[in-house]
Amino acid sequence: MEIIHTIDALQEALLAQQKAFPNRSRQLVPTMGALHEGHRELLKHAVAEGPTVATIFVNPLQFGPNEDFDRYPRDLTQDQKVCEEEGVSILFAPHPEEMALSNQQFVLQPNNLIDYMCGPHRPGHFEGVCHVVMRLFQLIQPDEAWFGQKDFQQYRVLEAMVDEFAMPIHMHCVETVREADGLALSSRNRYLNAQERERAVTLFNALEQIKEAVEAKEPAEIIQKKRKQLETQLSDAGFRLEYLDVFNVSTLAPSKTFPDGQPFVVAGAGWVGQTRLIDNLLINV
Ligand code: PAF
C-alpha cells in the first residue's frame, strides 16, 4: 500500500493503478481517520469491488467553531495498519495545504435536504462536507464511492450532489456496524466515559421502539405519543436530544404518516456530556 500526502504523488499512483488494473473499477472510501470496525466494513466492500483508494483528512470546514476539530482523534499509524490489513492500494492523507481550503471561492450549498435532521443544528457542516468530498471526487475520479449509513443525511446530500452535477460515480451506503448492545460505532465513542457510554445506547433503544411501532402500523397519534415519551425518557436519562423523528428517505422531511411501500428513516441526535452522537434505522413499511 502506498501512503501519499501530495496531489502530485497521488496522480502518479492513480496512473500506475489504472495501468495495473485497466479493467477494474476504482473504489473510494473517504474518511476522517480514527478508523473503527464501521470503516473496516466500508473498506471490505470497496476492496471486494476493485482497487481501492482510502482517504484520511480531518476536514476543518465541517466543524463548527465550538465543535471538536482540535480534539478529533488522529492516529495515522493505526489507520495505516487498518488500511493495509483490509487491502487498500492507495492511502491518501493530504497535507492540509493540498486541500486548498484557505481561500475558498465557492460554496456548495445543499438545499432542502438539510432543512431538518442535523442541518439546522450544524450550520455550515454539510457545505463543508460537500466541498471536501467534491475535491476528493475530482482528484481521485472514482467509479464507486462508499459511505456509512450512520451519517445517513450526509449520504443523501452527497448522493444528490453526484446526481445533480452528473458525476459518473456509483454511490454506496453501507449498514451501520454496532456494538453488541446496539450502540452505533463512531470515532467519537472514544470520548465517552463509562457512565456516558451506558447513556449513549439509549438513543438506539429509542430508535428501535419507534421503528417497531411504525412497522407494526400503529396509529399515527400513538406513534407520536410514543415518540414524545421517548424524548422525555432520553432527557431524563441525561441525553440532551436535538431531534428524534421519522423522516422521508428521499426528501428527509419529517413524516407523521407512513403509507405502505414507502421507505422511512427514524433518526436522532443529541449530546451525552461533551459528545455529540447520531444514529438512525431504516424502516420499510
Ligand atoms: O464521514 C466522514 O468521515 C466525513 O464526513 C467525510 C465524508 C470523509 C468528509 O470529510
Side-chain angles (χ1 to χ4, degrees):
M1 184 183 77
E2 280 191 76
I3 302 154
I4 284 172
H5 303 287
T6 66
I7 291 173
D8 284 349
L10 174 69
Q11 301 306 352
E12 259 179 53
L14 290 174
L15 219 61
Q17 191 190 61
Q18 175 65 26
K19 278 197 187 133
F21 307 102
N23 300 317
R24 303 209 54 204
S25 50
R26 179 177 296 151
Q27 311 294 314
L28 172 64
V29 180
T31 80
M32 295 205 300
L35 303 181
H36 51 65
E37 288 302 314
H39 295 109
R40 272 195 198 265
E41 202 57 28
L42 301 183
L43 294 171
K44 281 187 205 304
H45 276 90
V47 168
E49 295 302 320
T52 298
V53 182
T55 67
I56 293 180
F57 179 64
V58 185
N59 169 24
L61 294 183
Q62 69 188 75
F63 290 80
N66 299 318
E67 292 184 359
D68 55 341
F69 175 72
D70 288 333
R71 71 170 182 141
Y72 197 83
R74 290 157 172 90
D75 188 349
L76 190 55
T77 313
Q78 172 60 19
D79 291 345
Q80 189 178 324
K81 193 165 161 269
V82 171
C83 289
E84 238 147 20
E85 284 168 3
E86 295 306 332
V88 167
S89 56
I90 299 173
L91 173 56
F92 181 50
H95 293 313
E97 58 277 15
E98 297 292 290
M99 295 305 281
L101 304 179
S102 56
N103 186 22
Q104 201 184 328
Q105 298 296 318
F106 293 90
V107 176
L108 279 166
Q109 177 63 66
N111 199 359
N112 305 122
L113 287 175
I114 63 165
D115 284 347
Y116 300 97
M117 300 174 76
C118 294
H121 301 280
R122 300 193 74 188
H125 168 73
F126 290 105
E127 292 82 340
V129 170
C130 287
H131 194 91
V132 154
V133 173
M134 175 64 98
R135 186 165 171 92
L136 292 172
F137 281 172
Q138 298 300 337
L139 288 171
I140 294 161
Q141 307 268 318
D143 299 297
E144 306 186 33
W146 300 81
F147 297 88
Q149 187 197 312
K150 185 173 73 65
D151 298 295
F152 188 70
Q153 188 171 24
Q154 164 175 283
Y155 174 74
R156 285 285 299 115
V157 166
L158 293 173
E159 185 185 44
M161 181 181 85
V162 161
D163 192 34
E164 200 151 315
F165 294 107
M167 304 171 84
I169 301 172
H170 186 140
M171 298 283 284
H172 297 274
C173 185
V174 176
E175 206 180 314
T176 305
V177 178
R178 299 179 179 282
E179 303 273 10
D181 64 355
L183 179 70
L185 295 196
S186 162
S187 304
R188 291 187 167 101
N189 289 353
R190 60 185 80 185
Y191 299 152
L192 301 168
N193 64 30
Q195 195 195 19
E196 291 169 344
R197 168 64 185 80
E198 262 178 43
R199 252 182 239 162
V201 76
T202 54
L203 176 60
F204 168 72
N205 296 335
L207 294 175
E208 260 205 329
Q209 290 185 49
I210 298 173
K211 175 180 156 96
E212 274 166 23
V214 175
E215 286 182 345
K217 298 187 196 304
E218 285 184 20
E221 56 283 5
I222 302 287
I223 294 173
Q224 282 319 312
K225 208 168 146 201
K226 183 163 278 175
R227 189 178 67 80
K228 290 238 145 50
Q229 279 168 354
L230 288 164
E231 279 182 351
T232 312
Q233 277 172 27
L234 280 168
S235 66
D236 288 350
F239 199 109
R240 302 191 313 283
L241 206 57
E242 284 180 348
Y243 64 87
L244 175 71
D245 214 337
V246 184
F247 301 87
N248 180 299
V249 158
S250 81
T251 62
L252 299 189
S255 188
K256 303 291 172 234
T257 56
F258 310 104
D260 278 355
Q262 279 188 33
F264 294 94
V265 58
V266 54
W271 293 81
V272 176
Q274 297 304 307
T275 307
R276 186 175 187 274
L277 298 171
I278 61 173
D279 199 0
N280 67 78
L281 296 170
L282 291 172
I283 303 178
N284 270 312
V285 200

